[in-house]
Structures are given as C-alpha cells and as structure tokens.
Amino acid sequence: MSVDSAVTPESRQSRLPGRDTSLWLLAFASVSIWVLWRTGALNFAETVTRDGVVYLNGFATVDHPFHSMRAFQLIESLRDGSPIRWITSHQGGYPVEFYPLGVAWIEELVWIASFGSLSIFAVHKLTILLIFLAPGAGYWILTRGDRKSPAVGFLAFAFHLGIAGYWMAGGYTELVSWGLVTNVTGATAALIATGALARFAVRGEAGMAVLAVASITMATYANPRSLIAVAVVGVAVVLASFFATAGPRTSVMTTLYRVGVVAGVAGLTSATEIVSLIRYRDYYYFVNYEAYDESRPYWDATVAAISTPLVWLACGGAIWAILSPRFPVAKIAALALGLYFVVTLALSGQFGDVDVIQQLEAPRLMPYQRMLMLYLAAFFLVRLFDVAANRLSVGKERGIATVATAIVTLVVFVTPVGSIGEDFQGLTDQPQMPMSEMDMFRNAVAQADAVAPDGTSILVLGTRFSWHERLWGSLETDKPLYYEHWLWQWNNEHAGPAPLENGDCTFDNDRGNYYPCPDQTLTPAYLSDHGIGAVVVTDVGSYDDTPNARVAAEASTLLSIVSTDSNWDVYSVTAPMALITDGGLQPTSIDVENERLTASFVDGDGDVLVRVNWFPRWQATVNGESVDISRGKGGYMAIEAPPGPIELELTYSMTAVDWMTRIAAVTGIVIVIGFWLASRSHRFSRLMPNQQSVHR
C-alpha cells in the first residue's frame, strides 16, 4: 500500500477550500508585506532631532558596507559608460570574477526601479529584504510543480521567515544580521532552479525552462559555490526518472535531453564567470576559516540551522516524497537533499581527502540544504493534515491547520513568547547606520582624499561601529584604500607590516586577513610599499586587544596632522611614495583610474613597480611599445623599461577569450528568448520532445 492510499482522488481535492490559489497568493503577499513593515524596509532615512539633519539609513553590520560599496561602484562605473571589471579600491584591487557582481546587479535594478531616487544604502537594505523573501517564490514553484495546494510552500515560507538560524545557515541571521548576501542569494537562486528544472524535466513546462536557466545564471554570478547545488539537482532529476513508477512519467532519455538543454544554455549565459574561474583558478586564493572536522559538527550545524523538530519532520517528508508516486517534484527535492548531504560530507573530507574545489569551506553549503529541509518539513506536516482531513471526510481543516501552524511558528520564533534565544530569534531589529558617526567618518576620508597627492592611496586604521565600516570610504574618494582588517585577500603575497622581534605581531597571509598590530603599519617600509599618501585613524580596533594605532599615529614623525575630532584623526604622509615608481624615483605625472594607469618619468633605471595587484589581464606599454608585466614585490606589477625618460600606460584589457565568453553569454540569452517565443507560439514541442506517459 502506498503512503498516499488514504488520500481522496484528485478531482475531490481540487474542490477543497485549501486549493484556492488566489487566497494562498494573498497569504504569501500579506506575510511578505508584514515582514517588510517589521524590518523597516521603507525606512530609508531618519531625522536626528538634536541638529535636524536627515541622515541616510541602512544595514550597517559586518559585510553590509562591503556589498553596499560594490553596488555603488557598479553604478558609478555604468554612469561612466562601462560595466566594472576590476575593482581597484580594495587592498590592491581584484577582478570582479573573484567575487562576482550578481547581487550588485540586483541592487542596480532596484536603484533603476526607484528612478535613482534612493541612496545606495536604501537600495542595499531593500535588496537584502527582497532576497530574504525570495525563497517564498522557490517554495511556490516547488509546490505547484506537484499540482497540489500551495499550503506546503506557505508553511515552508513561514518556517524560513521565523527561524533565523546561525550565521552560516542561510536564514535571517546570515543574510540580514551578518550581510553574507552572496552566499544566501546563490542558494536562493539554486532553490528556484530546483523547482523550475524539476517541473521542466517532469512536465515539459516551457516557462520553467526559461526560469531554470535564469536562476542558474543568477546562482553562478551571485556565488559560484551554488553550482554544487545546481549539479546535485540535475543528478536528482535524472535519478527520479529512473524510479518513476506512476503519476507523471518522462522517459530517461527525454529527461537527460531536457536537463542537458538547460545545463548547456545556462553554461552559455554563465560563461564569463565560469570560464574565468577555470582559466585563472591558480590565482584565486581564499583563507579557509570554517570546516567540518568530523560528521558530528555537521549534524549539529544541521540542527542549529532549522531546529530539532523540523529536522525530524524534514526526514519524514523526504521519506514520504520518495515512497509516494504522486509527488514527482517533491521526490526530486528529497533526492537532491540526500545527495547534497553526501556531497557536503565528501567535500568536507569525511570520505577522505577530496581536492575538487580549492579551499572550499563546506559549512558555507548549509543555506541550500536548510531551504530544502524546510520545504520537506512543511511537506510532511501538510500531508499529515491531508490524511487527517480525509479521514474525517472534511476539507477545510487542512488549510486551517496549515495557516495555524504558520502563525504559531512566526509567533514562537519572532517574539519573546517562544523563549527562543536572541541568537536564533527571527526578524530581530538590526543595527542601522549610526547617522552622525557615519558623517564623521565620511568627512575624515574626504579630508584625507584632499591631502593625499594624486597617485597615492589612503590607509584607514580602526573602526567605530562596524567590522568593515572603513569600506564605506569609497563614497568619498576614488583613490585606492587599504585597511588593517579587511574582508578577504586573493593576493596571498600581500606585504603586511614587518614583524616585531618577539614575533607577537607577525602578519601571515595564511592565518587570516588582518594585521595583529595595526600600529606597525606606520613605518617607512609599509607606507612606501603601498603608496600611502594619507592616514585616517581611530582608537578603536577590530579586536579588544588591538594596539592603539591612534596613539602611534600621534607620535609618528612620518605623519603630519590634518584634523582631529573625538573619533577620527586625519594625517598626511610627509614623504609619500607614489603608486608607480621607476627605480624608486617619483613620476612627474601620474593618473590612477579603475582600469587604466598612466605615469611619466624624466629619469629612472627602468625598474618600474606598480602598486596594484598583478593579474594576467593587465597590459602595459612603455613609450608606445608593448612590454611584459611580471608579478613583483608584494604581488604587485613589475615592469622592465629602458633607462631614462618613459611614458607608461597600463590597461585592464579584454582578451580574446573574454570576448568569446561574452559572445557565448549573448548567444545564451538569444536562445532563452527564442525558447520563450517558441513556447508562446506553440512551437515549443518541436524543440522539446515530450515522451511523458499519461497519469496512471
């Protein structure tokens, strides 16, 4: 007997109140609006009563400054007439493929939708909250794929909203509190791709093919790590076609064909990112901070992500979906979850040393797993409601039970009623920009920009209210910026401060991305190594035991005070070294732009050092002649030029391979549009053969 033997026929279910699509859409919309209201999505500015000044308002903690500024730099680049490909402002610069701009493009669309009326902080805040709501769409697509009540999707959505999880779980904590937006966005796109690919493979729905390609593309450009989830889904879809015994059935060959078409087109649209990662894989470097040393921490993380009761409900839902022949899309989700467990364990080294992806942090895979488990937990509960309702020969109780469970979940997890610890409570208030403090920091950077000579960079030491507050410096300067504690580093040859004799302040690229003693940056060697022209410093470090760099700056003979207030001091470097030198000699003229550098020298020995991170796309000419660039001191660019006067120009250029990937991406977009138009004109069946059997 099948696990669904007690369920009434489909014709009877279709008349039950719980299957009223419009009411469920209203429920989704109502909860979403409530979440936006509760989290202050439209609170874009606040007035400080003590001075009557209106200050911008937005999320301010951990990674939010980093992502806000990436969106800001993309907007500024587009205003100048071209999309950004190299970001020079961050610790020597990096190519956008290293940390792709998928989320920044979403923020760009939000900014355009506001007709440019919103600040980048408001745009970022609104984008974060829209991404937080986006799994609701994924759950709707999954649920409707089995042509059943949207109750499952609604309940899973409520679980997602209420259960915050921990900082790597993909819920409210990771996305809103910590601002780890790329990881969550990639996982969310993978969730949408799961439902879309499953529905296209099982039922041949043309719109789902287009959505699958679009969501896989977004997953790639948001965070390429999400391709692991996408690959797992593709395997799960094919496996499900092998084991289908009843219900909607599609031949294995047709399934392979459909999955292959989506994969091929998505590969084209994602080519610029995927090809670059493969092509330059030896140059990308991440410090590995998190890992599952054994299987028990993985299980503990799984429980912490969604709570113990929901873990067991998800297990029940997975078993039900796999055993039932009537829910092919839910079955694919369950198979994907099982495969994802295995892949996570394998990539975390539980089955031996697996060196498939360099420096992959397996705990970062949790968001997609969490989303699938919430869906299967909701699936299990609603199926129980269905069985109970049919046993009682009633229909409306199922919908009532679903809504009641969703409401109880939200009440328990987002209010003090549930006695849930603050670290795991959902929809909690988050620190916003501290207004006047933000203005003081921006004013300090603006002053540093004014005194730092052209062709030099700015060093920011310390922070007042956010781990990465200093990253906001790009609002006030186009000059390169350096920090004593940054987000990550792809250049593992970065020249940090010289170690002290006792070794307590030794900087090590392989141990982390901060200077243990930031005061040691105020030395002739460090200031010249990075072409520092001005220093912005405060007395609050990133850690409680960080030495006070503000005191060191005040005592330094290398710096000249420009301004000081209660929070920030600004200094000019008395004898700054330019970002480009020839044998240690300064240029007579220099211009540093994001993807173009020029410098002139009247003399020199031809040993040119360019203090911008080396990357293969950089090309250089000396006196109009092409010259080679090598990786020099600190990972910067070194050029051998003839002695004497030279005119140097460096450009971050498009290579032939880069042009090919862009042509491939455009081709993929054209194919997607063609699919969509063909489906609208009823010619899609000619492109996508349908070998689906009748429902049995």
Side-chain angles (χ1 to χ4, degrees):
M1 179 180 292
S2 116
V3 295
D4 288 313
S5 60
V7 179
T8 57
E10 189 72 20
S11 59
R12 178 183 174 189
Q13 285 196 6
S14 64
R15 297 192 297 269
L16 297 178
R19 294 187 58 79
D20 191 329
T21 301
S22 61
L23 288 178
W24 286 111
L25 282 173
L26 179 62
F28 271 91
S30 299
V31 171
S32 298
I33 292 171
W34 172 73
V35 169
L36 292 174
W37 168 80
R38 181 182 173 96
T39 54
L42 303 180
N43 182 18
F44 298 139
E46 288 193 4
T47 301
V48 179
T49 56
R50 65 176 178 273
D51 55 17
V53 177
V54 176
Y55 292 102
L56 301 174
N57 200 8
F59 294 134
T61 51
V62 194
D63 282 8
H64 288 301
F66 172 68
H67 295 292
S68 296
M69 288 303 92
R70 282 157 53 81
F72 172 77
Q73 289 169 322
L74 175 60
I75 290 173
E76 292 299 299
S77 178
L78 292 174
R79 279 174 168 166
D80 291 338
S82 65
I84 196 169
R85 292 180 294 112
W86 174 271
I87 295 180
T88 197
S89 63
H90 189 95
Q91 215 76 13
Y94 64 92
V96 295
E97 294 92 348
F98 172 72
Y99 213 118
L101 294 172
V103 174
W105 279 104
I106 297 175
E107 294 180 293
E108 174 78 10
L109 294 176
V110 173
W111 181 77
I112 292 173
S114 75
F115 299 100
S117 62
L118 295 180
S119 71
I120 191 59
F121 308 113
V123 166
H124 176 71
K125 179 180 180 181
L126 185 55
T127 301
I128 288 289
L129 294 173
L130 291 175
I131 292 170
F132 179 58
L133 295 173
Y139 291 140
W140 177 276
I141 293 166
L142 281 166
T143 304
R144 300 306 284 164
D146 285 326
R147 298 180 180 176
K148 299 296 185 291
S149 165
V152 174
F154 180 72
L155 187 54
F157 188 41
F159 289 158
H160 165 71
L161 298 177
I163 301 174
Y166 61 101
W167 74 278
M168 288 188 296
Y172 188 81
T173 300
E174 179 171 359
L175 179 59
V176 181
S177 299
W178 283 68
L180 307 183
V181 60
T182 59
N183 202 39
V184 179
T185 302
T188 301
L191 175 72
I192 295 172
T194 300
L197 183 60
R199 287 174 61 168
F200 175 54
V202 171
R203 302 185 184 279
E205 298 179 56
M208 291 296 108
V210 173
L211 181 59
V213 171
S215 53
I216 292 171
T217 303
M218 174 49 65
T220 305
Y221 286 108
N223 194 321
R225 182 188 294 120
S226 306
L227 288 175
I228 296 172
V230 172
V232 164
V233 172
V235 175
V237 168
V238 175
L239 282 178
S241 69
F242 273 102
F243 301 122
T245 57
R249 296 174 58 195
T250 305
S251 72
V252 174
M253 290 306 299
T254 298
T255 300
L256 285 169
Y257 179 73
R258 290 174 178 174
V259 171
V261 166
V262 169
V265 178
L268 290 175
T269 56
S270 306
T272 58
E273 178 67 22
I274 295 174
V275 172
S276 292
L277 289 178
I278 295 173
R279 184 182 178 197
Y280 300 120
R281 61 189 179 277
D282 293 337
Y283 304 132
Y284 298 128
Y285 174 82
F286 276 103
V287 176
N288 195 316
Y289 293 104
E290 307 293 335
Y292 297 128
D293 295 330
E294 53 187 29
S295 57
R296 180 54 190 264
Y298 177 36
W299 172 255
D300 292 340
T302 297
V303 173
I306 64 173
S307 78
T308 301
L310 288 186
V311 167
W312 296 116
L313 289 176
C315 292
I319 294 171
W320 195 317
I322 290 173
L323 294 180
S324 171
R326 302 180 63 252
F327 304 100
V329 174
K331 177 180 292 186
I332 288 170
L335 290 172
L337 178 62
L339 290 171
Y340 202 68
F341 273 126
V342 174
V343 169
T344 301
L345 287 169
L347 292 175
S348 63
Q350 302 306 308
F351 304 147
D353 187 16
V354 179
D355 191 21
V356 177
I357 300 177
Q358 184 184 23
Q359 298 161 307
L360 173 72
E361 293 181 303
R364 306 284 183 168
L365 300 176
M366 182 58 70
Y368 177 72
Q369 175 187 313
R370 171 187 182 272
M371 293 177 188
L372 279 187
M373 294 188 75
L374 292 179
Y375 176 75
L376 291 169
F379 174 82
F380 186 67
L381 272 178
V382 173
R383 299 314 302 155
L384 291 179
F385 297 157
D386 281 349
V387 171
N390 287 309
R391 291 292 189 190
L392 297 173
S393 299
V394 293
K396 63 182 180 181
E397 278 73 5
R398 176 185 54 185
I400 293 173
T402 300
V403 174
T405 304
I407 292 173
V408 169
T409 299
L410 291 174
V411 169
V412 168
F413 281 95
V414 306
T415 68
V417 172
S419 299
I420 301 296
E422 265 189 50
D423 291 343
F424 290 92
Q425 195 175 103
L427 306 185
T428 53
D429 292 336
Q430 296 302 310
Q432 306 280 308
M433 290 180 179
M435 294 126 185
S436 57
E437 168 58 42
M438 175 70 168
D439 272 8
M440 284 187 278
F441 172 69
R442 292 179 61 175
N443 181 60
V445 175
Q447 292 183 60
D449 178 75
V451 299
D454 290 340
T456 62
S457 58
I458 297 172
L459 173 66
V460 182
L461 299 177
T463 186
R464 300 295 303 187
F465 57 86
S466 170
W467 188 15
H468 299 301
E469 164 198 11
R470 66 217 83 188
L471 294 164
W472 275 320
S474 297
L475 288 168
E476 302 297 335
T477 182
D478 292 328
K479 291 182 172 67
L481 289 158
Y482 288 81
Y483 326 96
E484 100 313 320
H485 195 170
W486 57 95
L487 205 57
W488 39 256
Q489 174 97 345
W490 75 269
N491 169 20
N492 61 350
E493 298 176 13
H494 174 76
L500 298 179
E501 290 184 5
N502 60 15
D504 292 341
C505 290
T506 302
F507 167 73
D508 184 354
N509 276 294
D510 293 328
R511 284 171 42 199
N513 54 6
Y514 74 102
Y515 302 146
C517 297
D519 57 324
Q520 296 303 306
T521 60
L522 304 178
T523 63
Y526 182 89
L527 295 176
S528 63
D529 281 348
H530 303 295
I532 307 297
V535 178
V536 179
V537 61
T538 188
D539 54 0
V540 181
S542 299
Y543 294 108
D544 292 338
D545 58 351
T546 299
N548 192 329
R550 195 174 194 180
V551 173
E554 184 178 5
S556 175
T557 59
L558 304 173
L559 308 177
S560 298
I561 187 70
V562 173
S563 68
T564 183
D565 62 29
S566 59
N567 290 343
W568 296 93
D569 295 337
V570 179
Y571 292 87
S572 62
V573 178
T574 54
M577 185 70 71
L579 289 168
I580 305 176
T581 55
D582 185 352
L585 297 178
Q586 302 276 49
T588 55
S589 67
I590 183 171
D591 183 40
V592 177
E593 299 177 14
N594 212 42
E595 295 167 359
R596 182 176 179 272
L597 313 168
T598 61
S600 300
F601 296 89
V602 296
D603 199 0
D605 61 9
D607 186 12
V608 177
L609 178 64
V610 182
R611 294 165 177 82
V612 173
N613 285 331
W614 174 87
F615 198 75
R617 287 196 185 98
W618 282 107
Q619 297 181 5
T621 61
V622 173
N623 298 330
E625 299 292 330
S626 178
V627 295
D628 292 332
I629 304 174
S630 60
R631 197 166 188 169
K633 178 182 178 181
Y636 290 151
M637 291 185 280
I639 298 171
E640 291 187 9
I646 64 169
E647 295 289 334
L648 173 69
E649 180 178 13
L650 293 97
T651 55
Y652 191 74
S653 303
M654 293 270 287
T655 66
V657 174
D658 294 328
W659 282 114
M660 291 175 61
T661 60
R662 280 153 179 77
I663 293 171
V666 172
T667 302
I669 293 172
V670 171
I671 293 174
V672 169
I673 295 173
F675 275 5
W676 179 252
L677 293 177
S679 71
R680 303 296 290 178
S681 61
H682 306 291
R683 290 194 291 269
F684 192 74
S685 58
R686 300 177 187 176
L687 301 172
M688 293 290 106
N690 187 352
Q691 299 178 26
Q692 179 174 299
S693 72
V694 296
H695 181 84
R696 296 190 300 177

